Amino acid sequence: MKGTAAEKPLRGGAGKRPTQTRPAKKAKKKLWELKLYVAGQTPKSLAAFANLKAICEEHLQGSYAIEVVDLLVNPQLAKGDQIIAIPTLVRKLPVPIRKIIGDLSNTERVLVGLDLRPFQ
């Protein structure tokens, strides 16, 4: 009686491993890395953060990270992203990098600026 494949010894010490089926990988969500540059807790800075948070919750559903950079605390950080006005939102990922200046109150413009909605 012939042995099953599992019972047969491998020749030469190296053989092919049996093919295993793996569960299908879940589609990887695109991570949005956003950096919001502000100067202290001014009304415009607070409004920009609140507006950004609301937009992200509605349109990016948990696949985002927001970093708030206070230029009153770390002014040297403005140089890296060439910040010339505040508040400024910088989209680091997905590439390409995009910048939006202002308090982000015009949701439609922010969505177009982040490339979440096509320009019409």
Side-chain angles (χ1 to χ4, degrees), residues 19-36:
T19 307
Q20 296 179 354
T21 57
R22 295 181 181 166
K25 290 183 179 180
K26 293 181 181 178
K28 204 172 190 181
K29 279 189 176 180
K30 191 187 318 184
L31 178 66
W32 292 73
E33 284 186 23
L34 306 168
K35 201 179 262 194
L36 181 63

Side-chain angles (χ1 to χ4, degrees), residues 50-61 64 104-108 110-111 114 116:
N51 292 332
L52 177 60
K53 185 85 169 149
I55 290 168
C56 289
E57 285 297 317
E58 184 176 342
H59 297 278
L60 299 177
Q61 289 109 16
Y64 65 92
L104 312 175
S105 60
N106 186 333
T107 304
E108 193 64 31
V110 174
L111 293 175
L114 289 174
L116 285 170

Side-chain angles (χ1 to χ4, degrees), residues 19 39 65 94 99 113 117:
T19 307
K99 295 179 187 178
R117 186 165 293 159

Side-chain angles (χ1 to χ4, degrees), residues 40-87:
Q41 302 245 340
T42 65
K44 264 191 160 181
S45 297
L46 295 173
F49 180 72
N51 292 332
L52 177 60
K53 185 85 169 149
I55 290 168
C56 289
E57 285 297 317
E58 184 176 342
H59 297 278
L60 299 177
Q61 289 109 16
S63 60
Y64 65 92
I66 299 172
E67 179 183 355
V68 177
V69 178
D70 188 342
L71 295 178
L72 291 179
V73 177
N74 295 309
Q76 70 278 7
L77 295 179
K79 187 177 183 181
D81 281 320
Q82 300 174 345
I83 303 302
I84 58 171
I86 46 174

